[in-house]
Amino acid sequence: MKKTYHGSCHCGAVRFEADIDLDKGTSKCNCSFCSKTRFWKAFVEENDVRMTDGQENLTEYQFGSLTIVHSFCRTCGIKPFGRGETPDLGVFYAVNLACLEDLAVEDLLSAPLEYQDGKHDSWGETPSEFRHL
Ligand SMILES: [Zn+2]
């Protein structure tokens, strides 16, 4: 069941809400970007993320296929979420679960977790090694 969580960057300039059903799963990816940031995420639909403060403090980064817009706080550098669009999913957000202030660690740990082989452009596959992600 979806639950509304409250998230922020490190300095607190950027604040948002996200409606997430953790039972639908979380993921970590071994691509060049996610592996450097240890990005642990949950995908949600376009309307399930709402900015509550600091939209103007977000800046963006893109690379590779330019499918995803990675949003960062321009003050502290923390990435609260990425936003993308594909023919299959439509517009989606990948929420940084580490930014959610009211997500209990035990709830995060009990959520399903899958690993994606983004390094080889095979997001549907589990990489051969993932313990470091
Ligand atoms: Zn910040």
Side-chain angles (χ1 to χ4, degrees):
M1 192 175 68
K2 275 187 195 175
K3 186 178 165 188
T4 301
Y5 296 94
H6 300 83
S8 63
C9 63
H10 186 264
C11 73
V14 173
R15 296 186 181 279
F16 65 100
E17 293 178 346
D19 303 329
I20 303 172
D21 182 354
L22 284 175
D23 293 334
K24 289 189 172 175
T26 68
S27 59
K28 298 181 180 181
C29 170
N30 68 353
C31 80
S32 60
F33 190 82
C34 290
S35 62
K36 284 200 172 184
T37 57
R38 301 290 194 267
F39 193 58
W40 191 351
K41 65 190 179 296
F43 288 107
V44 300
E45 295 170 9
E46 181 176 19
N47 295 326
D48 289 340
V49 170
R50 295 172 297 280
M51 293 300 301
T52 53
D53 202 9
Q55 170 91 48
E56 72 287 349
N57 219 53
L58 286 174
T59 188
E60 297 177 348
Y61 175 67
Q62 288 189 286
F63 69 98
S65 66
L66 309 181
T67 304
I68 311 287
V69 175
H70 304 272
S71 294
F72 296 85
C73 171
R74 67 174 74 241
T75 304
C76 68
I78 295 296
K79 172 188 169 182
F81 47 74
R83 185 179 189 276
E85 184 170 8
T86 67
D88 290 346
L89 298 173
V91 174
F92 63 88
Y93 282 92
V95 176
N96 185 352
L97 297 171
C99 286
L100 301 180
E101 290 158 358
D102 47 3
L103 169 55
V105 171
E106 52 270 27
D107 291 344
L108 177 59
L109 294 177
S110 62
L113 168 61
E114 71 175 27
Y115 296 92
Q116 302 168 303
D117 194 5
K119 184 176 181 179
H120 300 102
D121 291 327
S122 299
W123 276 267
E125 304 294 321
T126 301
S128 56
E129 178 56 90
F130 52 79
R131 293 171 297 174
H132 60 300
L133 298 175

